[in-house]
Amino acid sequence: MPLRRFVLSSALVLSASACTGNIGGADETPESAAAPARVRRLTREEFNKSASAVLGSSVDVAQGFAAEDTILGFSTHERLQVTSLLADQIDTAAVTLAEEGRSRLSDLYACPSGRSQDDCAKAFIQKVGQRAFRRPVTAEEESDLLALFNAGKQGGTMATGAELVLQALFSSASFLYRTELGPTTGRKGQVVELTPYEVASELSFMVTGGPPDDTLLAAAQAGTLSSPDEREKQTRRLLQTADARLKLRQFFIEWLGLNGLNKVNKNNQVYPDYSVEFRDSMVRERNAFIDSIVKDHAGSVKELLSANYSYVDETLANYYGGLSRTGVDDEGMGRVTLPPERLGILTQAGVMSTYAHFDSSSPIKRGKFVLTRLLCRTVPPPPANVSTIPPALSEDSTTRERFAAHTSNPACAGCHKTIDPMGFGMEDFDGLGQHRTEENGHPVDASGGVVAPDGTITAPFTGGAQLARQLATNDELANCVPLQFVRYAMGRDEHASDAELLAAMRTGAYRTDELKVTEALVSLVRSASFTQRRLPTR
């Protein structure tokens, strides 16, 4: 039954072509006044959490949806589309979820004696409709859904009517999209405040990756979310939840480009220690270490980079040099004190393996990783006439020597004089993240330097651990993290109106308290940029 457009609200219809902002014409207010109004599609994870909130129990129906791309390294971006394939998958999921909801929500549509079935149906529609739409249903929506309920009930029962309503809700645009449009009375080109329920959704999805809970919806209904203090209060409350910790874990993973670690593959002839089980160990270390940074250190970037410990299983404990574990849990993960050549997440086997080739390390990948992910610089693509094939393996030279010759082309030198000092300084780790002092019988030269934007080397270092220590106190990195978090949390690149927001995020408690991402997040939700949008001009 084609129900996908059933409850497509007029606001969504009017803004569909402007889901990422301005669609042409002159603004009535300066572009810097606010970021464009938009409509954002739920990600697969957000779809699952939203459906779970409606049904009151966990579901995982969206994991089979069409794969999602990333922009600027993040999966939470505003440009997610609905292809014909995805539309069919959503319709199928709506049928499945409605069938589940018919049994799980029977207490909501059951009609006791003394009440009319229409009253019971309306109460059901209002309850599940608010969960699905993350706001109260409108009178028009209630009327349409009630007609659908009664149509499903004809020749059936209250259960069949409820199931049809649920199918409509789960396939509707008001479920699938999050609006940032403000009140319907807004004029073209005007800067508007988001509605209280839009603020609640924006805050909740940003902090927990899911829809607002009852407490946040109650704050929206009471109109208190217009206060920065109230938004901070709600944010700090939600940050204590397991969902918020998982959301922050995902930020760190995507920011550092580690979301493909579970697919890393290596040449066993070069790296005999590699196996699928070894790869799983690297994933477990990544997750356990980041979780500890989030839970015990409020997402401190300084701790992330400079911690002298990690959490590993027996495989990695041995790989890192026979380290002794403490507090080993049921999954075999325990805390270790790292040897001096390792420090924080930068020198973990998972990071070094990700930024390496199938059969060798990669100074270029590692240098570009530091520049783009950690320092927010742009590295232009290589000229079209320059080969990007890594230099051939050789038993007579080190990786550094091979790549230094490979990148000596004058057409490449402009970029590589910035990339190479960072990457070469991590050559004390091979392509599987094993520490080394020799390669092919030759001493490894892991000297490098942090290169300033003007091309000067401001912080010489030797080895990945010294680089991590330098970066932990680097002002450029401290300024980069809030920008990366805005991209992740807001689902877009920075906008001219974000200047004041970013300045606030980069100072205050975040800057004075170990670069805690949670404090940058609090600054974000307190800002005017968080609640204001500029409507399209036509």
Side-chain angles (χ1 to χ4, degrees):
M1 184 174 184
L3 294 172
R4 187 159 54 252
R5 301 179 185 85
F6 178 73
V7 285
L8 182 61
S9 71
S10 58
L12 285 172
V13 172
L14 292 172
S15 63
S17 63
C19 61
T20 58
N22 193 5
I23 56 176
D27 295 344
E28 295 178 10
T29 51
E31 184 176 347
S32 61
R38 58 184 178 169
V39 177
R40 296 174 62 184
R41 202 206 85 193
L42 299 182
T43 66
R44 289 179 295 182
E45 185 63 29
E46 290 168 348
F47 187 102
N48 278 334
K49 288 187 175 181
S50 297
S52 299
V54 175
L55 298 182
S57 56
S58 180
V59 298
D60 194 24
V61 70
Q63 286 309 309
F65 287 0
E68 297 165 345
D69 60 358
T70 61
I71 293 180
L72 298 170
F74 298 113
S75 63
T76 51
H77 61 85
E78 64 186 358
R79 300 178 193 174
L80 293 173
Q81 303 295 316
V82 177
T83 63
S84 57
L85 171 60
L86 180 59
D88 290 339
Q89 291 172 328
I90 290 170
D91 279 347
T92 300
V95 172
T96 300
L97 292 168
E99 290 173 349
E100 292 187 31
R102 174 176 175 161
S103 58
R104 294 186 185 185
L105 303 177
S106 58
D107 59 324
L108 295 183
Y109 61 76
C111 199
S113 59
R115 290 190 67 190
S116 72
Q117 291 190 346
D118 268 9
D119 285 344
C120 293
K122 287 179 181 179
F124 173 76
I125 288 167
Q126 291 165 358
K127 183 73 173 180
V128 298
Q130 176 161 296
R131 292 180 184 176
F133 295 169
R134 303 170 286 275
R135 56 164 175 78
V137 296
T138 65
E140 180 182 2
E141 288 167 341
E142 181 186 280
S143 177
D144 289 344
L145 288 166
L146 179 60
L148 189 63
F149 191 105
N150 289 332
K153 193 180 63 174
Q154 287 181 0
T157 63
M158 292 287 285
T160 57
E163 182 177 343
L164 198 57
V165 166
L166 287 169
Q167 186 182 345
L169 293 176
F170 285 124
S171 59
S172 71
S174 293
F175 174 79
L176 184 61
Y177 290 92
R178 297 158 49 194
T179 66
E180 298 174 20
L181 303 173
T184 57
T185 55
R187 302 187 309 275
K188 296 175 182 178
Q190 181 183 18
V191 173
V192 297
E193 292 284 337
L194 298 180
T195 70
Y197 289 99
E198 286 177 329
V199 173
S201 281
E202 184 77 358
L203 191 155
S204 182
F205 278 102
M206 182 178 292
V207 179
T208 70
D213 60 12
D214 290 342
T215 302
L216 196 51
L217 287 173
Q221 183 178 19
T224 59
L225 293 178
S226 59
S227 162
D229 290 343
E230 178 65 17
R231 296 198 298 273
E232 176 176 346
K233 173 185 172 183
Q234 294 290 343
T235 298
R236 293 194 183 279
R237 175 182 68 83
L238 291 173
L239 280 170
Q240 303 307 310
T241 65
D243 282 341
R245 290 192 287 270
L246 288 175
K247 180 73 172 175
L248 283 173
R249 178 212 278 182
Q250 194 61 26
F251 163 68
F252 283 113
I253 288 174
E254 294 195 7
W255 165 44
L256 298 173
L258 301 179
N259 37 317
L261 180 56
N262 61 338
K263 297 180 181 179
V264 163
N265 193 22
K266 297 294 176 180
N267 186 335
N268 280 110
Q269 299 300 312
V270 179
Y271 304 113
D273 288 302
Y274 175 79
S275 65
V276 172
E277 291 74 23
F278 185 91
R279 184 176 65 193
D280 291 344
S281 293
M282 294 192 293
V283 171
R284 284 194 290 270
E285 179 188 23
R286 177 199 69 186
N287 292 347
F289 178 72
I290 292 175
D291 286 350
S292 75
I293 297 299
V294 169
K295 183 178 180 180
D296 301 332
H297 301 278
S300 166
V301 176
K302 279 193 175 181
E303 190 72 11
L304 181 84
L305 293 171
S306 60
N308 67 346
Y309 59 85
S310 189
Y311 296 85
V312 298
D313 58 15
E314 184 178 9
T315 296
L316 282 185
N318 291 333
Y319 193 68
Y320 287 172
L323 305 181
S324 177
R325 292 174 295 156
T326 60
V328 178
D329 62 20
D330 293 339
E331 297 181 354
M333 302 296 292
R335 177 168 168 145
V336 294
T337 299
L338 295 173
E341 66 268 12
R342 294 188 188 270
L343 196 70
I345 199 167
L346 194 65
T347 60
Q348 287 182 5
V351 176
M352 292 292 98
S353 296
T354 296
Y355 295 100
H357 293 299
F358 175 64
D359 52 9
S360 72
S361 62
S362 176
I364 295 175
K365 284 188 175 184
R366 290 173 180 175
K368 185 179 178 182
F369 157 66
V370 174
L371 286 168
T372 59
R373 302 274 181 170
L374 305 184
L375 301 180
C376 288
R377 296 193 212 163
T378 300
V379 176
N385 62 341
V386 172
S387 172
T388 57
I389 300 174
L393 295 177
S394 170
E395 295 182 358
D396 299 324
S397 60
T398 65
T399 300
R400 180 173 188 144
E401 291 167 342
R402 292 187 295 112
F403 273 87
H406 182 68
T407 59
S408 61
N409 185 327
C412 305
C415 289
H416 283 281
K417 69 179 182 181
T418 302
I419 296 173
D420 292 355
M422 308 267 202
F424 285 146
M426 289 179 270
E427 272 298 288
D428 56 335
F429 293 95
D430 68 17
L432 194 59
Q434 180 62 279
H435 186 257
R436 62 185 179 183
T437 57
E438 290 188 354
E439 182 184 5
N440 296 327
H442 300 278
V444 166
D445 179 2
S447 61
V450 176
V451 182
D454 64 4
T456 61
I457 293 180
T458 57
F461 67 89
T462 300
Q466 284 193 18
L467 172 60
R469 194 171 288 110
Q470 298 273 16
L471 291 173
T473 58
N474 183 285
D475 286 340
E476 197 175 356
L477 179 137
N479 288 332
C480 176
V481 175
L483 173 57
Q484 297 284 30
F485 192 80
V486 165
R487 292 170 173 174
Y488 174 74
M490 303 292 280
R492 58 172 174 78
D493 204 346
E494 64 271 26
H495 185 265
S497 64
D498 295 328
E500 185 176 339
L501 160 67
L502 286 168
M505 292 177 70
R506 289 165 171 163
T507 55
Y510 161 77
R511 198 55 169 266
T512 60
D513 193 9
E514 303 297 311
L515 304 184
K516 290 178 178 176
V517 170
T518 52
E519 294 302 326
L521 170 57
V522 167
S523 293
L524 195 164
V525 301
R526 289 186 62 91
S527 71
S529 292
F530 181 73
T531 62
Q532 293 180 349
R533 299 293 183 272
R534 178 172 49 85
L535 296 178
T537 54
R538 62 182 176 92

